[in-house]
């Protein structure tokens, strides 16, 4: 049983059922229409149920072949994943209020800790270097409309 | 006037020191922004447009066009090296191009892409010069029914070019279509799956999905592999392709160029389709389709040529009909209007020097690009020798800036975090994200054209079979699907028997 | 005596000149200005903003950055303009959809009263066109409307989405001439033109700039337009109004500031815009880009906006436009 639960077929089946079912469920809010004059719900509902069915087949397949295949998922490393995603969130949170120069320091500072072979001095230097580089290349040269400094400056 | 005197006229316009300089500036800037994912050619062209007021109209157009096809070149560089596709045409380069780079053949991959693009640019220019007015007629024979059939063909291609098991590929395909439907439905004006967020009512942007699903989740995967990580960098491999490599890839480049040149003319998504179509074709006719996805040179050279040829011929609807088929062409049109040139059927007779000068400059631009890019390959490959702990935070920063600049909103950065998680889970569960991404791109066009075709035909589904172009494409799609499905079913039955 | 009087007058005059120049000059932006545009780069809205910005920089004394925010068909941009710091450093370019969005988009809570208006910057018309080699190619507008009325199967009319400008025009034509069309939604004017050329749809109501090259080439034929003045490109094409048909919904663009912007900053921007719009470079830029030149000062713009809101409210109620999912 344990083998089934960590089987990639089983888990992707569950994911498909959840996502497909979700889309299908929400699509009931939209008009279905007729094949000749389709409503906005027609395509999503048909596709949603399609994904749901594929998911169910995968789940059944996983049970039928439980013993034959040990195609198990490897563990998810939590720490680097959270740090990388956290660095992106930091960028999104800080950019508008603090501007690109400071936000870059934060992004690199957070992301830099995601590897085991990190060195504090290296991260600091990288952060400063990238901050200058980003401000010069993106804002000054390419004129991407990014706020550069904290609001009010 | 025959083609040679036309090209001679074009040469006399394009080969002046100033125009060569503008062309050079355009393609260099284009390459730079192409490498940076999310910073697209449209925003750059918009920014430079006021600066071109003072230029000669031909010079202005030469430079702006250079930004566009230069960006196509640059886009494949980051797709090959870092799996960061900044535009839909670069997605295919992340398959075998990235696989080649992982195997230490980054130099070869970049060189093949550059040479393929140059060959395609040459062929595209010749086709544009020889047949532009005739090709314009093809562009207007495509109605909603034909576009629907083309999209179906594209979806079948998405299944064919996936390396995963068939059932999962179909599931991922449908899921991609669903995500493509997020946003305002054009037929009814209803916002679908937006959860009340106005940011979503224009749909999820391609850059968000591509960077989340491919670029950022690839970083997560790389960080996982601690010890064996980036052994690639220690062996750079040969930077230059050997004659054997070139001879092997040349037929693929030629086929890709032809296919891309034809598809590029279609204003409703032809450029996007060109690289997928070429990949499918190469995999289909290859004696070793199992190598595709693991670094097959043809799987890179063909599609790269196709998207570059398509980029050239995508000027046809604008130049000969006066219809801008996408944002880039809308910018080109603005540039023409500012200089009091009305693009359209009369442009060839009214301003032949501009028309032929622009076309010849595209070939010169491609020449500059290949001369510029081949020596740079060594530098790009060295990029991979930077320790990964320093490289990935920089990549994350470029992704963030690119994501933000799509709509000047941080919403897309948050959204990309979601897609990065989704992409990571997909890879963990051995679900190939490629069909998902392709279906995501094609989904909205598929639905829109299907519904429009049905509406215009007053509900008669027979329209797809009675119109010859649409019927032919649907038949090809069906045949391709059978070719893809039958071996898979046989294989899985064999496996099932063995297990019993 | 005369000398003293002359001297006095001179002093008074120079004082007055000083005063008036001071009042026209009292507020100007202190750093680069953001001009928010509710659409992506390329296309009419963006062109309009860039032409305007390039001239306006001269009078504002600061660079003007065009910021494209296409998200949510403009809804995100309109919310951002309303919520920006009212310090005059952020200006918004709006179209008539700021008064029509509230009737058709769920969740929209801005309306004509959410902004301070600097002035109108342009006006546009919808031109009814048919394919020249199609079944209606040799008809004039009266014949076409008669044919549309008699058609057993409604004629396919391309619109760029439900209850967009094109679609409101379609509705007005239907009401005025007592006809009905098959409404075919197609993304954007360029795609509508393509659909007309490929024969999917037979008629559309588009901006002059979107159809110019095809009309010049003889592929499309303009029948009538919904403006009040003759069209610059085709002065012979009649307006619906001149035919006694009330097809006249105004389409315009204007510059706005957040509602709470102080009076002196508003006055500063009003004078910047007035100087900009009187610069011949704007007229030239508009003419080449196919944008209709029209300028109204702040007070007249408010009247224009009021009128537009009433018109769109009436027609939306009459047509049963809803904000709910359909």
């Amino acid at each position: 049983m344990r083998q089934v639960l960590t089987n990639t077929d089983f888990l992707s089946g569950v994911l498909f059922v959840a996502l497909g079912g979700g889309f299908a469920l929400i699509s009931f809010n939209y008009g279905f229409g007729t094949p000749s004059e389709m409503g906005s719900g027609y395509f999503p509902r048909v596709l949603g149920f399609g994904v749901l069915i594929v998911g169910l087949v995968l789940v059944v397949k996983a049970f039928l072949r439980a013993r034959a295949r040990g195609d198990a998922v490897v563990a998810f490393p939590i720490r680097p994943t959270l740090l990388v995603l956290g660095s992106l969130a930091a960028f999104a949170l800080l950019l508008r209020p603090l501007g690109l120069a400071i936000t870059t320091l934060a992004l690199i500072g957070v992301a830099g800790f995601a590897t085991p072979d990190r060195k504090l001095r290296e991260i600091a230097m990288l952060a400063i270097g990238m901050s200058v580089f980003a401000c010069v290349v993106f804002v000054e040269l390419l004129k991407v409309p990014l706020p550069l400094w904290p609001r009010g400056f | 006037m025959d083609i040679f005197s036309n090209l001679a006229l074009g040469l006399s316009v394009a080969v002046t020191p100033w125009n060569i300089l503008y062309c050079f500036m355009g393609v260099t800037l284009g390459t730079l922004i192409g490498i940076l994912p999310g910073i697209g050619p449209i925003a750059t062209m918009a920014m430079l447009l006021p600066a071109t007021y003072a230029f000669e109209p031909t010079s202005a157009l030469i430079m702006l066009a250079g930004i566009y096809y230069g960006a196509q070149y640059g886009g494949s560089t980051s797709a090959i090296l870092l799996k960061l596709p900044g535009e839909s045409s670069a997605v295919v380069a992340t398959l075998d191009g990235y696989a080649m780079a992982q195997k230490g053949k980054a130099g070869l991959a970049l060189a093949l892409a550059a040479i393929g693009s140059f060959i395609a640019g040459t062929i595209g220019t010749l086709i544009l010069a020889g047949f532009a007015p005739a090709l314009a007629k093809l562009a207007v024979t495509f109605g909603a029914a034909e576009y629907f059939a083309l999209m179906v063909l594209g979806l079948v291609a998405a299944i064919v070019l996936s390396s995963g098991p068939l059932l999962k590929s179909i599931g991922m395909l449908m899921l991609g279509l669903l995500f493509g439907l997020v946003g305002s439905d054009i037929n009814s004006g209803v916002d679908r799956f937006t959860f009340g967020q106005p940011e979503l009512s224009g749909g999820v942007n391609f850059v968000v999905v591509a960077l989340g699903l491919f670029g950022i989740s690839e970083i997560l995967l790389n960080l996982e592999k601690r010890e064996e990580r980036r052994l690639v960098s220690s062996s750079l491999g040969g930077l230059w392709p050997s004659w054997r490599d070139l001879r092997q890839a040349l037929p693929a480049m030629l086929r890709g160029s032809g296919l891309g040149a034809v598809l590029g003319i279609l204003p409703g998504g032809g450029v996007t389709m060109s690289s997928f179509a070429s990949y499918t074709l190469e995999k289909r006719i290859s004696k070793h389709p199992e190598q595709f996805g693991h670094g097959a040179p043809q799987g890179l050279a063909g599609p790269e040529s196709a998207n570059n040829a398509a980029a050239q011929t995508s000027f046809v609807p604008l130049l000969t009909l006066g219809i801008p088929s996408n944002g880039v062409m809308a910018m080109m049109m603005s540039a023409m209007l500012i200089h009091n040139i009305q693009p359209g059927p009369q442009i060839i007779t009214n301003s032949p020097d501009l028309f032929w000068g622009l076309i010849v400059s595209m070939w010169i631009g491609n020449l500059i690009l290949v001369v510029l890019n081949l020596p740079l390959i060594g530098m790009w490959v060295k990029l991979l020798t930077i320790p990964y702990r320093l490289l990935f935070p920089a990549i994350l920063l470029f992704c963030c800036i690119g994501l933000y600049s799509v709509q000047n909103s941080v919403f897309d950065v948050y959204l990309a975090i979601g897609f990065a998680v989704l992409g990571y889970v997909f890879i963990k569960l051995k679900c190939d994200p490629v069909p998902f991404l392709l279906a995501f791109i094609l989904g909205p066009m598929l639905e829109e054209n299907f519904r429009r075709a049905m509406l215009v035909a007053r509900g008669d589904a027979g329209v797809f079979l009675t119109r010859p172009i649409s019927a032919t494409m649907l038949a090809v799609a069906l045949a391709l699907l059978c070719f893809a499905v039958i071996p898979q079913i046989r294989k899985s039955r064999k496996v099932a028997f063995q297990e019993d | 005596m005369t000398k003293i009087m002359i001297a006095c007058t001179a002093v008074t005059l120079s004082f007055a000149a000083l005063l008036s120049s001071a009042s026209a000059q009292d507020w100007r932006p202190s750093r680069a200005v953001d001009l928010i545009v509710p659409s992506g780069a390329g296309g009419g809205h963006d062109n309009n903003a860039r032409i305007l910005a390039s001239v306006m920089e001269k009078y504002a004394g600061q660079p003007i950055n065009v910021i494209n925010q296409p998200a949510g068909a403009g809804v995100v941009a309109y919310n951002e303009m309303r919520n920006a710091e009212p310090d005059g450093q952020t200006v918004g370019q709006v179209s008539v959809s700021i008064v029509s969005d509230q009737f058709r988009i769920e969740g929209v809570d801005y309306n004509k009263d959410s902004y301070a208006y600097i002035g109108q910057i342009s006006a546009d018309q919808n031109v009814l066109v048919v394919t020249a080699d199609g079944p209606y190619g040799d008809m004039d507008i009266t014949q076409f409307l008669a044919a549309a009325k008699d058609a057993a199967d409604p004629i396919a009319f391309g619109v760029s989405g439900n209850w967009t400008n094109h679609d409101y025009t379609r509705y007005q034509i239907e009401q005025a001439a007592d006809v009905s069309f098959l409404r075919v939604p197609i993304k954007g004017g360029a795609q509508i033109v393509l659909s007309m050329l490929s024969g999917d749809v037979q008629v559309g109501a588009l901006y002059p700039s979107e159809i110019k090259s095809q009309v010049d080439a003889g592929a499309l034929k303009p029948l009538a337009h919904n403006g009040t003045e003759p069209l610059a490109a085709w002065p012979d094409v009649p307006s619906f109004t001149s035919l006694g048909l009330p097809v006249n919904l105004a389409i315009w663009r204007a510059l706005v500031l957040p509602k709470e912007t102080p009076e002196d900053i508003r006055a500063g921007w009003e004078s910047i815009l007035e100087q900009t719009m009187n610069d011949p470079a704007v007229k030239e830029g508009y003419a080449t880009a196919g944008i209709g030149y029209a300028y109204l000062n702040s007070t007249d713009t408010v009247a224009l906006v009021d009128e537009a809101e009433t018109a769109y409210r009436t027609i939306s109620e009459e047509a049963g436009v809803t904000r709910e999912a359909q």
Side-chain angles (χ1 to χ4, degrees):
Chain A
M1 194 59 203
R2 238 195 102 111
Q3 246 178 345
V4 175
L5 291 183
T6 56
N7 179 297
T8 54
D9 273 358
F10 174 77
L11 287 175
S12 40
V14 171
L15 183 70
F16 282 1
V17 169
L19 287 173
F23 271 107
L25 211 63
I26 297 174
S27 75
F28 277 93
N29 294 329
Y30 315 127
F32 192 70
T34 60
S36 61
E37 245 181 277
M38 295 181 179
S40 49
Y42 194 99
F43 257 68
R45 210 177 310 171
V46 169
L47 288 170
F49 278 114
V51 174
L52 188 89
I53 292 167
V54 170
L56 289 177
V57 173
L58 282 170
V59 168
V60 172
K61 228 176 96 186
F63 272 104
L64 289 180
R65 293 191 189 162
R67 261 160 294 163
R69 290 218 188 150
D71 199 5
V73 190
V74 220
F76 283 69
I78 304 281
R79 202 185 120 93
T81 307
L82 283 184
L83 281 170
V84 165
L85 299 180
S87 72
L88 299 175
F91 181 93
L93 271 176
L94 301 178
L95 182 71
R96 283 298 184 91
L98 293 185
L100 184 64
I102 296 173
T103 304
T104 303
L105 300 180
L107 179 142
I108 305 234
V110 176
F113 284 90
T115 50
D117 53 348
R118 62 186 174 264
K119 293 177 192 120
L120 205 60
R121 242 189 66 190
E122 226 175 49
I123 295 175
M125 276 164 58
L126 180 70
I128 294 167
M130 286 315 294
S131 176
V132 173
F133 178 83
C135 292
V136 170
V137 170
F138 288 100
V139 182
E140 292 304 319
L141 291 180
L142 292 176
K143 306 267 184 229
V144 179
L146 290 152
L148 200 54
W149 299 112
R151 249 186 214 160
F153 278 85
Chain B
M1 275 218 283
D2 63 349
I3 180 167
F4 290 105
S5 57
N6 287 333
L7 287 177
L9 172 67
L11 263 176
S12 71
V13 176
V15 188
T16 63
W18 279 112
N19 282 344
I20 290 179
L21 179 70
Y22 286 132
C23 186
F24 175 79
M25 279 168 21
V27 297
T28 312
L29 188 62
T31 311
L32 178 65
I33 57 153
I35 287 168
L36 301 170
I39 313 281
I42 300 176
T44 313
M45 290 165 83
M47 198 189 80
L48 278 178
L49 198 56
T52 63
Y53 288 164
F55 292 13
E56 285 279 304
T58 313
S59 310
L61 292 174
I62 284 175
M63 188 171 90
L64 293 173
I67 294 177
Y68 172 50
Y69 54 81
Q72 303 279 328
Y73 258 75
S76 42
T77 305
S78 41
I80 290 170
L81 293 176
L82 304 169
K83 205 173 182 179
L84 288 176
E87 289 205 47
S88 53
S89 54
V91 171
V92 177
T94 63
L95 303 176
D96 286 84
Y98 187 66
M100 284 174 80
Q102 292 288 296
K103 285 183 173 169
K105 290 189 200 159
L108 176 63
L110 289 172
L112 284 180
I115 295 168
S117 297
F118 174 69
I119 290 175
T122 309
I123 294 174
T125 307
L126 284 175
I127 290 177
L128 207 53
F131 312 104
L135 291 174
K137 294 209 176 68
L138 175 69
V140 295
T141 55
F142 265 59
E146 284 77 17
Y147 277 114
F148 169 74
L150 183 68
M151 298 304 145
V152 171
L153 199 55
L155 289 181
V156 172
I159 293 179
V160 173
L161 59 79
S162 163
S163 48
L166 185 70
L167 191 62
K168 278 185 177 172
S169 295
I170 292 176
M172 291 295 278
L173 185 87
M174 290 195 287
L175 210 49
L177 287 172
L178 278 170
F179 274 92
L181 298 182
V182 171
S184 178
D185 165 36
I186 174 151
N187 281 61
S188 62
V190 173
D191 274 354
R192 292 184 292 189
F193 311 109
T194 59
F195 303 100
Q197 298 290 325
E199 281 91 347
L200 280 177
S201 74
V204 182
N205 193 287
F206 163 80
V207 175
V208 176
V209 182
L211 293 190
L213 223 52
F214 281 60
I216 301 171
S217 61
E218 184 69 18
I219 290 178
L220 295 175
L221 276 178
N222 282 333
L223 288 176
E224 217 174 86
K225 307 175 205 152
R226 290 187 196 177
E227 275 72 44
E228 81 269 43
R229 180 176 2 107
R230 293 282 151 166
L231 286 180
V232 190
S233 43
S234 55
S235 65
L236 292 177
L239 289 186
W240 298 93
S242 64
W243 272 116
R244 220 181 118 253
D245 294 326
L246 273 184
R247 232 186 21 238
Q248 232 185 350
L250 190 66
M253 290 174 185
L254 294 176
R255 282 189 294 264
S257 303
L259 199 57
V262 174
L263 284 172
I265 296 153
L266 302 172
V271 183
T272 317
M273 290 281 304
S274 62
S275 56
F276 309 155
S278 163
Y279 191 89
T280 311
L281 177 71
E282 292 309 320
K283 189 172 175 178
R284 188 67 246 139
I285 61 176
S286 167
K287 289 196 189 90
H288 303 283
E290 73 282 354
Q291 289 175 358
F292 278 69
H294 303 285
Q298 297 93 328
L300 174 70
E304 274 306 297
S305 311
N307 84 50
N308 213 51
Q312 307 284 309
T313 54
S314 68
F315 281 88
V316 167
L318 176 69
L319 288 175
T320 59
L321 295 171
I323 295 168
S325 50
N326 54 41
V328 170
M329 293 304 145
M331 293 307 309
M332 291 294 292
M333 185 161 168
S334 309
M336 291 186 184
L337 291 172
I338 281 168
H339 289 101
N340 245 330
I341 295 157
Q342 182 70 42
Q346 308 91 330
I347 197 173
I348 304 180
T349 40
N350 288 355
S351 7
D353 48 335
L354 179 134
F355 182 83
W356 298 109
L358 180 62
I359 287 177
V360 171
S361 89
M362 290 184 192
W363 183 76
I364 293 173
N366 274 287
L367 186 66
I368 296 177
L369 278 168
V370 78
V371 172
L372 195 75
N373 276 279
L374 286 177
L376 278 180
I377 288 174
M379 191 193 89
W380 292 127
V381 173
K382 284 221 181 65
L383 194 74
L384 292 181
T385 59
I386 297 173
Y388 199 63
R389 63 176 188 278
L390 299 179
L391 192 57
F392 85 88
I395 299 173
L396 284 175
L397 175 67
F398 292 154
C399 287
C400 280
I401 293 175
L403 288 164
Y404 175 83
S405 65
V406 173
Q407 310 199 78
N408 291 311
S409 144
V410 292
F411 184 84
D412 285 337
V413 183
Y414 289 120
L415 206 55
I417 297 177
F419 277 101
V421 173
L422 195 62
Y424 192 44
V425 171
F426 281 154
I427 295 166
K428 285 286 174 178
L429 298 181
K430 301 202 163 57
C431 295
D432 185 6
V434 175
F436 180 98
L437 188 60
L438 299 194
F440 169 81
I441 298 167
L442 300 178
M445 291 190 267
L446 179 88
E447 189 203 19
E448 205 186 310
N449 284 301
F450 184 71
R451 286 168 71 177
R452 187 185 308 151
M454 292 292 277
L455 195 61
V456 167
R458 275 64 168 183
D460 174 19
V463 66
F464 299 108
L465 300 177
T466 50
R467 295 180 68 143
I469 300 178
S470 138
T472 313
M473 283 192 293
L474 288 175
V476 173
L478 188 68
L480 260 178
L481 191 65
C482 291
F483 278 126
V485 169
I486 292 166
Q488 284 250 13
I489 292 176
R490 279 207 194 120
K491 205 171 79 191
S492 71
R493 278 180 59 189
K494 229 185 249 170
V495 173
F497 283 130
Q498 280 167 357
E499 279 170 12
D500 284 340
Chain C
M1 190 63 199
T2 5
K3 265 191 182 169
I4 296 172
M5 268 186 67
I6 290 173
C8 281
T9 325
V11 170
T12 328
L13 276 177
S14 55
F15 250 110
L18 251 177
L19 275 175
S20 70
S21 73
S23 68
Q25 284 294 326
D26 52 10
W27 189 91
R28 285 293 178 269
S30 54
R31 56 192 154 88
V33 174
D34 286 348
L35 172 58
I36 299 178
V37 180
S39 76
H45 233 313
D46 181 61
N47 275 346
N48 196 157
R50 285 176 198 278
I51 293 168
L52 203 64
S54 65
V55 181
M56 202 150 65
E57 289 185 338
K58 195 160 65 181
Y59 301 105
Q62 292 288 342
I64 294 173
N65 301 324
V66 175
I67 312 263
N68 297 102
Q69 292 198 319
V75 174
V76 173
Y78 289 156
N79 281 326
E80 179 118 347
M81 291 170 197
R82 185 169 56 157
N83 301 327
E85 287 287 315
D87 57 1
Q89 296 297 142
T90 309
V91 179
Q93 176 174 307
V94 302
S95 75
V96 73
S97 65
I98 55 159
V99 298
S100 60
D101 280 354
Q102 57 181 319
F103 305 120
R104 60 186 192 96
I105 302 177
E106 214 179 342
V108 163
D109 55 359
Y110 51 78
N111 56 35
K112 70 181 169 65
D113 297 323
S114 311
Y115 306 92
Y117 295 88
I118 302 173
Q120 186 196 9
I121 55 169
S122 60
D124 239 323
Q125 302 86 24
N126 277 162
V127 185
L128 188 77
V129 281
V130 293
T131 39
D133 58 358
Y136 316 107
D138 46 8
M139 295 183 177
D140 65 18
I141 178 68
T142 326
Q143 291 165 324
F144 170 75
L145 290 175
K149 204 166 183 171
D150 293 342
D153 204 14
I155 300 172
F157 194 121
V159 299
S160 63
N162 289 359
W163 304 118
T164 51
N165 287 330
H166 299 139
D167 200 29
Y168 274 110
T169 302
R170 172 206 52 91
Y171 177 79
Q172 278 200 316
I173 297 172
E174 287 187 348
Q175 295 300 307
D178 188 27
V179 294
S180 86
F181 294 106
L182 177 72
R183 171 161 76 169
V184 182
I186 298 166
K187 250 178 211 154
Q191 295 292 331
I192 295 177
V193 172
L194 274 171
S195 290
M196 291 184 74
L197 296 180
S198 75
D200 273 356
V201 299
Q202 281 74 45
V203 54
L206 300 154
Y207 296 134
S209 57
E210 291 168 329
I211 52 173
K212 185 157 190 308
S213 55
Q214 292 304 318
V215 172
D216 290 353
L220 294 182
K221 187 182 167 194
L223 294 182
H225 69 90
N226 71 343
T228 46
E229 312 273 313
L231 295 176
W234 310 290
D236 299 338
V237 174
S239 71
F240 282 106
T241 331
S242 71
L243 300 163
L245 299 170
V247 181
N248 52 8
L249 271 183
I251 299 159
W252 41 254
R253 301 193 184 103
L255 290 192
V256 300
L257 291 164
K259 188 82 185 172
E260 312 79 40
T261 311
E263 200 52 52
D264 61 322
I265 297 180
R266 289 192 197 190
W269 271 111
E270 281 161 27
S271 82
I272 293 171
L273 183 65
E274 190 181 353
Q275 288 169 313
T276 308
M277 294 303 290
N278 288 329
D279 192 314
V282 169
K283 261 183 206 161
E284 271 169 40
Y286 277 14
T288 49
I291 298 166
Y293 179 90
Y295 168 65
L296 289 177
N297 66 20
S298 176
T299 324
D300 294 341
T301 304
V302 171
L304 178 80
V305 175
D306 279 346
E307 200 181 305
E309 184 164 79
T310 315
Y312 277 95
R313 182 185 302 279
T314 315
I315 194 168
S316 300
E317 278 166 8
E318 191 186 299
V321 179
T322 56
R323 289 158 60 106
E324 302 299 315
Q326 287 154 19

